[in-house]
Amino acid sequence: MSWTLTADDLPDLARGATLLGTGGGGDPYIGMMLVKQVLGDRSITILDPDDLADDLFVIPTAQMGAPTVMVEKIPAGFEPTLALRTLEEHLGRTADATMPIECGGINSMIPLIVAAETGLPVVDADGMGRAFPELSMETFAVYGVHGSPLAIAGERGERVIIDTGDDDRQMEWLARGIAIRLGGVAHIAEYAMSGADVRRTAVPRTISMALALGRAIRVAREEHRSPFAAIADTLSTTLYSHVRELFVGKVADVERRTTEGFAKGTAVIWSADPSSSERLEISFQNENLIARWNGEVVAIVPDLICIVDHETAEPITTEGLRYGQRVRVLGISTPALMRTPDALRAFGPTAFGLTEPFVPVEGETAAAEAADTFAAGQAVRA
Amino acid sequence: MSWTLTADDLPDLARGATLLGTGGGGDPYIGMMLVKQVLGDRSITILDPDDLADDLFVIPTAQMGAPTVMVEKIPAGFEPTLALRTLEEHLGRTADATMPIECGGINSMIPLIVAAETGLPVVDADGMGRAFPELSMETFAVYGVHGSPLAIAGERGERVIIDTGDDDRQMEWLARGIAIRLGGVAHIAEYAMSGADVRRTAVPRTISMALALGRAIRVAREEHRSPFAAIADTLSTTLYSHVRELFVGKVADVERRTTEGFAKGTAVIWSADPSSSERLEISFQNENLIARWNGEVVAIVPDLICIVDHETAEPITTEGLRYGQRVRVLGISTPALMRTPDALRAFGPTAFGLTEPFVPVEGETAAAEAADTFAAGQAVRA
């Protein structure tokens, strides 16, 4: 069912989106401020995927770049809408709605800026079901909708259109080159598609899930209940039904570099008990990719690896990690449509150069059951 | 007057264009082979700028990239025409003719490939009057025609459109980012303009000049006359009326690196007389930028610094320089429209980070006379 979102919802949405950012995705705070400024006391219509007309024309909008740059290079604000308008002009067709390509991090907010500026509704779905570092890592692409033509807008009004046919990796490669030359961040419109395509290829209801997660954490804190139980309760009603505490400890080391347009590195978390030698090591490329507990893989992409404050469950991005922070690390299962062989080729371990195979965070048995349900065509509509 | 060009003209044109490449511009040989292959025994119509209708629609075509890469990465052949078609589609208007943006090096040939493939005529003019390393270094831009929108085509059919309004340096910056990611070479269509704009902003008759230079050198050799006298005779009838022998010697050192999409470095030429300590040092960014004789500047951009074989006058590109080669270095004056304060800002010494002021290669007095003539509106039509 479609619903409306107001400025009051934004802090909860930002918190949930940061959790789904799995360490990356860019801090939604700046995006939230931009939405608030444009939206005022109006509201944004959020369309449920089930309500979309088959021929509704949807143009997703987003920001691309290294999260480490995004927090320092504030957009002027007009860029995402300029990207949308540039793509509309190129296609000779106006959008009926926009949509996130990525529900985690700042890209939960970019389509809302466009909606606030243009009055367009926003589809409650995305193409990553979390955050990923590259534009080709989309369920859209996995299931046959391609990113090209893509439009880029820069803060000085620069406009670029890239068309690589159905080669989404080449699209990412060229667009990243432009983003780097625009200073490390760019705003884009891509993966234009019909309402029918959204239903077939998108991860559904991820805006509402982010909002529900952020709200559940806040309300649990206010009511002095466990925010971790609240996260588990909320997820149990979604396609992301399993959550597991991977580790509790303190940040011992963060090695991070911004290279080739990405933030890459490793975080090491030690047990809070000084007599213990237990440690969790997390490698990231913008987002957390793999968690090794004393060397053994306990979670791996595309499943979510989320570092949160050990008491408040406030999610912590990679660029927010500091030595000595007390944290919990959560592993969250992803929907079955994000774990098919085609999906794993696009954004599973090998897509990041990892040699470790994908292992579901909830264990093989539970995952097999979920996959059976997906194969029967049910889980995507849960 | 308009004229026709056939495959028989191509070797002479290539030789002249290499001379005008001033060490860079990319070796025209590969481009010549591509033109020959497509053209067969047909001919190409070359339009004199004076014959253009004011509203003729001209889309120049070119290759961009580092010359060191161009000689190793052969185009498939369809790319320049794909760039033209992409820009036509974007503008909603078809071209009546194409034109070089750069008469030196391989870019003397790229518009001929397009002409051979499409049947379009080619305008006998360009925007550099030689070769320059960057897309913003155009008399077109200096006199008010801007490069955007620019279309890029890649060898796998990639198509990119870049629009930076009237900021041609930002256009160059973004296009260079794409060229690097396409492997160091890309094909482009840009600076779309009217016939009236061509007459107002282009360096006229540079294809015919390149052809005449290349032919004069060859015929002089065949007739056992001095090719250097032939060069001087040919230039005396053009806007490039002064030529000066800057140095005779042998190549002692070449330091060259391909960086940020350019070939940059220094060539050192020693006197052939071992008892002499005289030396000429030439710095280049794709093209030769400045020549220092025992430390004293004897020629500097935009004037032409051409290294040629000491006997045959065959021009030698930067990537063709070898230790021990016997060479002559020629300094050639540029037309007055390439030496105005606006022109020098775009492609004079400071545009390349050089602190030395521009000094005309033929001396201040002769240059002042030429500039007076230009100011009176005569030289451009010579």
Side-chain angles (χ1 to χ4, degrees), chain B residues 12-333:
Chain B
D12 288 339
L13 177 60
R15 185 177 305 108
T18 304
L19 188 75
L20 297 176
T22 70
D27 188 332
Y29 183 79
I30 293 160
M32 180 176 79
M33 290 293 119
L34 289 167
V35 180
K36 276 191 173 168
Q37 189 177 33
V38 185
L39 188 61
D41 56 6
R42 293 176 298 138
S43 64
I44 294 169
T45 302
I46 310 291
L47 301 176
D48 190 89
D50 280 352
D51 294 349
L52 305 182
D54 277 357
D55 63 350
L56 191 90
F57 188 53
V58 182
I59 296 184
T61 45
Q63 186 183 83
M64 70 180 293
T68 41
V69 177
M70 289 174 180
V71 293
E72 295 181 5
K73 193 167 186 302
I74 316 295
F78 65 84
E79 300 95 325
T81 300
L82 179 60
L84 178 102
R85 295 302 187 210
T86 300
L87 191 55
E88 284 181 334
E89 197 180 309
H90 181 72
L91 295 171
R93 194 172 172 194
T94 55
D96 301 314
T98 187
M99 178 168 73
I101 62 164
E102 178 182 42
C103 64
I106 191 168
N107 275 329
S108 60
M109 296 291 168
I110 301 296
L112 303 181
I113 300 174
V114 174
E117 284 180 351
T118 63
L120 287 176
V122 180
V123 177
D124 188 5
D126 79 306
M128 293 185 174
R130 44 167 291 168
F132 280 126
E134 301 188 15
L135 304 181
S136 49
M137 296 171 165
E138 297 279 351
T139 55
F140 307 149
V142 170
Y143 298 109
V145 173
H146 295 290
S148 283
L150 163 146
I152 304 179
E155 67 184 348
R156 287 153 63 190
E158 301 96 332
R159 306 190 306 158
V160 177
I161 296 160
I162 294 175
D163 191 343
T164 58
D166 54 12
D167 188 343
D168 298 306
R169 290 175 62 93
Q170 184 73 348
M171 179 193 77
E172 153 67 29
W173 174 246
L174 298 180
R176 189 72 48 181
I178 293 290
I180 291 170
R181 294 215 152 196
L182 287 173
V185 175
H187 289 82
I188 59 174
E190 53 163 5
Y191 287 102
M193 69 181 83
S194 69
D197 283 335
V198 171
R199 269 195 297 278
R200 189 171 56 80
T201 70
V203 187
R205 299 177 194 86
T206 42
I207 297 178
S208 36
M209 180 173 75
L211 178 56
L213 280 169
R215 185 179 289 153
I217 293 170
R218 173 178 55 80
V219 171
R221 281 185 209 153
E222 286 168 3
E223 298 179 351
H224 306 286
R225 292 186 286 107
S226 160
F228 298 96
I231 289 173
D233 286 349
T234 305
L235 289 173
S236 69
T237 66
T238 73
L239 299 176
Y240 299 67
S241 48
H242 293 79
V243 56
R244 187 176 142 202
E245 186 177 278
L246 301 176
F247 201 71
V248 188
K250 60 180 184 182
V251 176
D253 195 18
V254 183
E255 183 270 312
R256 182 172 49 212
R257 58 198 184 284
T258 300
T259 175
E260 296 172 353
F262 297 110
K264 297 185 180 183
T266 308
V268 177
I269 301 162
W270 284 351
S271 168
D273 173 2
S275 69
S276 164
S277 66
E278 286 193 17
R279 51 186 276 160
L280 191 78
E281 188 179 310
I282 297 173
S283 299
F284 52 84
Q285 176 185 341
N286 290 9
E287 287 73 40
N288 300 324
L289 299 178
I290 184 168
R292 292 184 183 87
W293 176 77
N294 296 342
E296 178 200 334
V297 177
V298 289
I300 189 165
V301 278
D303 283 351
L304 281 60
I305 300 165
C306 308
I307 305 178
V308 302
D309 181 88
H310 78 303
E311 272 190 9
T312 66
E314 192 69 15
I316 304 171
T317 61
T318 301
E319 62 270 21
L321 287 176
R322 300 285 179 272
Y323 177 82
Q325 276 170 329
R326 298 288 181 120
V327 299
R328 284 176 209 263
V329 182
L330 307 180
I332 298 175
S333 67

Side-chain angles (χ1 to χ4, degrees), chain A residues 145-182:
Chain A
V145 173
H146 295 290
S148 283
L150 162 146
I152 305 180
E155 66 184 349
R156 287 153 64 188
E158 301 95 332
R159 306 190 307 158
V160 176
I161 296 160
I162 294 174
D163 191 342
T164 57
D166 54 12
D167 188 343
D168 298 306
R169 290 175 61 93
Q170 185 72 348
M171 178 192 78
E172 153 67 28
W173 174 246
L174 297 181
R176 189 72 48 183
I178 293 289
I180 291 169
R181 295 217 151 195
L182 287 173

Side-chain angles (χ1 to χ4, degrees), chain A residues 178-201:
Chain A
I178 293 289
I180 291 169
R181 295 217 151 195
L182 287 173
V185 175
H187 289 81
I188 58 175
E190 53 164 4
Y191 287 102
M193 69 181 84
S194 68
D197 283 335
V198 172
R199 270 195 296 279
R200 189 171 56 79
T201 70

